[in-house]
Amino acid sequence: MCVRVLSVSGMPKKVRIWVDDRDDGRFNVYIDESLIQDDGALALQQILNVTITGWQRLDETMVRTALRAVTG
């Protein structure tokens, strides 16, 4: 499994951290740039790629429920 961590700006609905569980087995973690800089995002990506245990995919129903809870 590969994790990419990206520092981004302007995420909608005041979301600060977003994890995208991709079909190709990768995770993209988007973190608002007010929380982390590019160097920190790269370091976090490297740490997660070395230490990940216990990640699991969620079914679509659970994801949609979580999204509604976060975004309204």
Side-chain angles (χ1 to χ4, degrees), residues 1 7 11 13 22 24 43 53-54 57 65 72:
M1 176 184 323
S7 173
M11 290 206 288
K13 307 257 185 194
R22 299 172 48 96
D24 61 5
T53 58
R57 294 185 182 280
T65 301

Side-chain angles (χ1 to χ4, degrees), residues 2-58:
C2 175
V3 175
R4 291 190 322 164
V5 179
L6 304 117
S7 173
V8 298
S9 65
M11 290 206 288
K13 307 257 185 194
K14 298 184 182 179
V15 172
R16 312 255 337 247
I17 297 175
W18 182 265
V19 178
D20 177 21
D21 176 6
R22 299 172 48 96
D23 290 335
D24 61 5
R26 296 180 181 180
F27 284 90
N28 289 332
V29 180
Y30 302 94
I31 302 177
D32 190 286
E33 66 183 9
S34 67
L35 298 177
I36 195 168
Q37 301 297 318
D38 289 341
D39 289 345
L42 182 58
L44 183 57
Q45 174 180 318
Q46 291 169 342
I47 290 166
L48 289 173
N49 278 331
V50 169
T51 62
I52 283 180
T53 58
W55 285 69
Q56 63 183 4
R57 294 185 182 280
L58 301 176

